[in-house]
Amino acid sequence: LDELRALRDGGKDAIATIQSQERARTGISSLKVGFNRVFGYYLEISNANKHLVPDDYQRRQTLTGAERYVTPALKSYEEKVLTAAERIETRERELFEALRREAGVAIARWQAVARRVATLDVLGSFAEVAEREQYVRPDVHDDFEMEIVARHHPFHHRMMAREKFIPNDLTLTNDARLIVLTGPNMAGKSTILRQIGLIQLLAQVGAYVPARKARLPIVDRLFTRVGASDNLVRGQSTFMVEMSETSAILHTATARSLVLLDEIGRGTSTYDGVSIAWSVSEHLHDAIGCKTVFATHYHELTQLANELPAVRNFTVAVREVGDQVLFLHRLIPGGADRSYGIEVGRLAGLPQVVIARAKEVLALLEGEGEQMAARLTAEGHAAPRSATRRGPRMVRPGVPTAQLGFFGEAAPAPDPAMSALADAVTALEPDNMTPMQALTAIAALKRELGERTAAKP
């Protein structure tokens, strides 16, 4: 094989050697070796040196001032060069197949070595990361409870200083198995979900985990519904993809599963989204009974803690300093009532005129809602939370309430005038209205409410 490659790659050196040898043999210093497509390799000798041509030279072509010859040795070399590439391929295949047969006899040994090397590679990587990042050995058990103290995100340490990352604790028990996690944009809700999922995954593959202490159950499945994307190939919208993934979770999860949900229902109208998120939460709590952390901007879901015994509210703390919002990234009990969307828009660089106008519109909407709530309360009706920042109040089936029936619940002793007003509100389609159309509709409802109130005896 080496010889064939030398013929293929070292042709110029071989030609120079032949030319030197023939010059020495014939005494013709001007002799040269050439090549063309008709004759292949040839020896060219000038007419002045024709008398020195040896007998074994075979004439092939006559030129004006020279003759071209070939020799048996030159033709033999030519054949070797021209067939070298083909012979290289044949020889390589012979050698490869011989090696493959030899290796095939020992295939079991090769596979055993590969498994051992792979295992050593994984365990060595686990050990190196655990030592470098100061991970701890988790207490893995077969019960339900999950407890993680001072947990970290395994990737963030590679991108920021350890002291800058805010650790958090988490406890899930059978009596507190569903956490509704609210908080502003940019506060870190999705990061918290990813922390929990990655720590559980690391523990179940046998690695140490980024925490000060971890007591983790063995879960049969780890479900995540995080992020938003459509599926162009299947013609599915972002919301359809979200619903399909949520459906798979609800049909497959068991009481031993861990479910992490982020913003279920956000891809449709507010009331539809709240209703779906509420119903999904109830099903996970009542029918499945698995460990769940549900991050959401639907603050209405914090009412679940009053309706379901195993639901707990947590939020990510922020601090307002003047017009500035500081994200503390600290997980604390309780619920949030703001998303600070305008403040996040300012941080993202929205034009100041847009931020100022957004604040004006928000103040107008909140003012209208508060006035309606105050009037309804004065008339003896429970003000719907849709009239304030927190949105509509959800009601569990079978639980009595004086809530105005925006969601179809029967309100006690309904006032016909107020029922007509509620029908007018229900007929509105906020998703298909411009901001100006929405403000105009609110103003009309306000006038109508004032007229009805003044007309009452």
Side-chain angles (χ1 to χ4, degrees):
L1 182 60
D2 291 340
E3 291 175 359
L4 292 172
R5 287 173 174 169
L7 282 172
R8 181 193 63 188
D9 302 332
K12 291 183 178 181
D13 293 338
I15 292 300
T17 300
I18 293 174
Q19 182 174 278
S20 177
Q21 292 174 348
E22 291 301 316
R23 284 180 178 180
R25 181 163 79 96
T26 62
I28 304 173
S29 60
S30 61
L31 181 150
K32 60 181 180 182
V33 178
F35 179 85
N36 65 29
R37 296 182 178 275
V38 177
F39 303 112
Y41 286 102
Y42 57 83
L43 301 168
E44 185 173 301
I45 300 174
S46 65
N47 289 335
N49 296 306
K50 288 173 57 175
H51 63 285
L52 299 177
V53 173
D55 294 337
D56 61 335
Y57 275 33
Q58 302 171 11
R59 186 167 53 193
R60 284 291 182 267
Q61 187 179 18
T62 300
L63 304 178
T64 301
E67 297 281 352
R68 289 178 176 176
Y69 302 87
V70 297
T71 66
L74 186 61
K75 297 307 290 183
S76 175
Y77 172 77
E78 177 184 326
E79 182 182 0
K80 291 180 180 179
V81 171
L82 296 179
T83 60
E86 180 180 349
R87 294 164 65 196
I88 285 173
E89 181 179 349
T90 301
R91 184 56 179 158
E92 283 179 342
R93 179 171 298 279
E94 291 173 355
L95 294 173
F96 171 75
E97 291 179 351
L99 178 61
R100 185 173 62 181
R101 287 192 297 270
E102 185 178 352
V105 175
I107 188 63
R109 290 174 54 205
W110 285 110
Q111 291 175 339
V113 169
R115 283 193 295 269
R116 284 164 172 76
V117 171
T119 302
L120 290 173
D121 181 35
V122 171
L123 297 180
S125 298
F126 282 172
E128 179 185 356
V129 173
E131 192 276 334
R132 183 182 66 234
E133 305 294 346
Q134 302 176 26
Y135 288 3
V136 301
R137 176 182 175 182
D139 176 14
V140 180
H141 60 85
D142 200 32
D143 296 329
F144 188 89
E145 292 76 15
M146 169 187 288
E147 179 185 11
I148 310 174
V149 178
R151 70 178 184 279
H152 289 266
H153 194 290
F155 299 154
H156 280 201
H157 291 164
R158 309 296 294 173
M159 298 179 287
M160 65 174 63
R162 179 180 294 272
E163 60 271 11
K164 290 186 178 181
F165 190 88
I166 306 301
N168 281 291
D169 302 341
L170 175 77
T171 301
L172 290 170
T173 66
N174 196 46
D175 296 331
R177 60 180 176 269
L178 194 155
I179 288 179
V180 175
L181 177 59
T182 54
N185 295 291
M186 292 289 293
K189 300 188 297 298
S190 297
T191 300
I192 290 174
L193 292 181
R194 291 181 171 93
Q195 285 177 319
I196 298 168
L198 288 171
I199 287 175
Q200 180 68 45
L201 179 62
L202 286 172
Q204 287 206 209
V205 300
Y208 281 29
V209 299
R212 188 165 66 240
K213 175 185 176 182
R215 186 169 185 271
L216 301 170
I218 297 175
V219 300
D220 59 356
R221 293 175 179 87
L222 171 59
F223 293 103
T224 62
R225 166 83 276 284
V226 180
S229 62
D230 55 13
N231 190 325
L232 296 177
V233 175
R234 295 186 179 180
Q236 295 179 338
S237 67
T238 298
F239 181 65
M240 183 61 181
V241 171
E242 178 183 300
M243 290 297 96
S244 297
E245 294 178 358
T246 303
S247 173
I249 293 173
L250 298 182
H251 282 94
T252 313
T254 71
R256 294 180 61 89
S257 301
L258 173 60
V259 177
L260 305 173
L261 303 176
D262 191 10
E263 303 291 356
I264 293 295
R266 62 184 168 183
T268 187
S269 66
T270 301
Y271 282 175
D272 284 349
V274 172
S275 302
I276 291 172
W278 184 284
S279 181
V280 167
S281 300
E282 285 186 340
H283 188 82
L284 289 169
H285 178 280
D286 297 340
I288 299 177
C290 58
K291 291 175 284 292
T292 305
V293 182
F294 192 163
T296 181
H297 280 291
Y298 291 140
H299 305 135
E300 298 82 8
L301 296 186
T302 57
Q303 299 175 55
L304 281 166
N306 300 325
E307 308 289 345
L308 304 176
V311 174
R312 300 294 182 269
N313 289 325
F314 279 82
T315 185
V316 186
V318 298
R319 179 177 298 169
E320 297 184 61
V321 181
D323 292 335
Q324 302 293 320
V325 178
L326 301 178
F327 300 105
L328 304 182
H329 305 294
R330 176 70 65 184
L331 190 62
I332 59 175
D337 60 356
R338 289 189 62 188
S339 294
Y340 295 91
I342 295 178
E343 287 77 5
V344 173
R346 178 179 57 78
L347 292 175
L350 288 181
Q352 185 57 41
V353 63
V354 174
I355 297 297
R357 179 57 179 159
K359 290 182 178 179
E360 293 175 1
V361 174
L362 178 63
L364 179 61
L365 293 174
E366 289 180 343
E368 294 284 355
E370 290 170 358
Q371 291 177 20
M372 180 177 289
R375 291 184 182 181
L376 291 176
T377 302
E379 294 177 4
H381 298 279
R385 294 179 64 188
S386 58
T388 66
R389 179 182 299 163
R390 293 179 62 115
R393 179 174 182 267
M394 302 295 292
V395 181
R396 289 268 285 173
V399 178
T401 177
Q403 160 72 18
L404 185 64
F406 281 172
F407 284 87
E409 301 91 1
D415 184 341
M418 296 310 298
S419 296
L421 183 60
D423 291 340
V425 174
T426 304
L428 296 177
E429 297 183 1
D431 291 339
N432 298 324
M433 301 171 69
T434 66
M436 184 57 67
Q437 290 172 337
L439 292 175
T440 302
I442 292 174
L445 290 171
K446 178 182 177 182
R447 286 195 302 271
E448 183 177 352
L449 178 63
E451 294 170 359
R452 292 180 182 277
T453 302
K456 290 183 63 174

